[in-house]
Amino acid sequence: MKKEYWFIIITYISMQLSSIVGVPLFMLIGSSTGMTADELKVKSAAYWIVFSFFVALSLILFLMRNDMKEKMDRSTPASIPTSILWAFAGVFLALFAQSIAGYIEQMLGVESESENTQQLISLIYQVPIVIFVTSIIGPILEEIIFRKIIFGSLHKRFNFFISALLSSVIFGLAHGELEHLLLYSAMGFTFAFLYAKTGRILVSMSAHIAMNTLVIIFQVVYRDDIEKMLDTAQAFIGGLL
């Protein structure tokens, strides 16, 4: 693995752990704002996520400025029209993989809601700019780390299946929810497929960004409407029974 890649991985890990110091620091800075302790903690956590992700993205993009132009180990990457088509189709592939994995998890008795997702959504309600992190910055960083670097490095030594499986499991473990390892791994495998299929990291990035954005739209923007529709449907079905 290239030396720059190790610096990038260390930067990413440091960003994930930085809240240990960053959140208390932001709480100290905002202690004179008059907010309650709980409000201050939540807002400090939200603003630190935005700050740390932006800083990490800037540094990683600088370190990757030359590598981002490199394609997979194939002579000719997919054409731009084909890449756009795969980026579009990739959203549905990722959602399909997510639904299948989610169904299997439910059969195993795992709760459908992701604690990680719910925590991010609660932060979005407090500080809407966090949407920018969850929808755009997060997916870009994850595709660089887990597909461009980890999957790409593994794929130089192993076949697609082994490389995609290993990098996807690492991707799942990185989210810190072992009960949803299958769910995250399924999505990671899908994005690895898109990257390998087209040879363009922008394809898996686009699909990942679009999928996260859709999840945020349904979970935040239209959440109340969806819950009302479900309540109405349950009431209607209950009436029929």
Side-chain angles (χ1 to χ4, degrees), residues 1-8 59-73 143-145 147-150 152-153 156 195 199-202 205:
M1 189 180 291
K2 296 180 181 179
K3 180 177 64 176
E4 291 82 358
Y5 286 180
W6 288 112
F7 287 138
I8 290 168
L59 181 56
I60 288 174
L61 288 179
F62 174 77
L63 293 172
M64 291 288 293
R65 61 191 182 281
N66 296 322
D67 294 77
M68 291 300 288
K69 299 177 183 178
E70 295 181 3
K71 311 299 187 298
M72 289 287 295
D73 53 345
E143 290 308 305
I144 290 175
I145 299 296
R147 252 63 69 184
K148 179 70 176 178
I149 295 180
I150 297 178
S153 297
K156 292 178 180 179
Y195 180 32
R200 296 180 184 274
I201 192 63
L202 287 176
M205 273 186 188

Side-chain angles (χ1 to χ4, degrees), residues 51-64 137 141:
F51 174 77
S52 60
F53 269 70
F54 181 78
V55 171
L57 177 63
S58 300
L59 181 56
I60 288 174
L61 288 179
F62 174 77
L63 293 172
M64 291 288 293
I137 299 181
L141 286 175

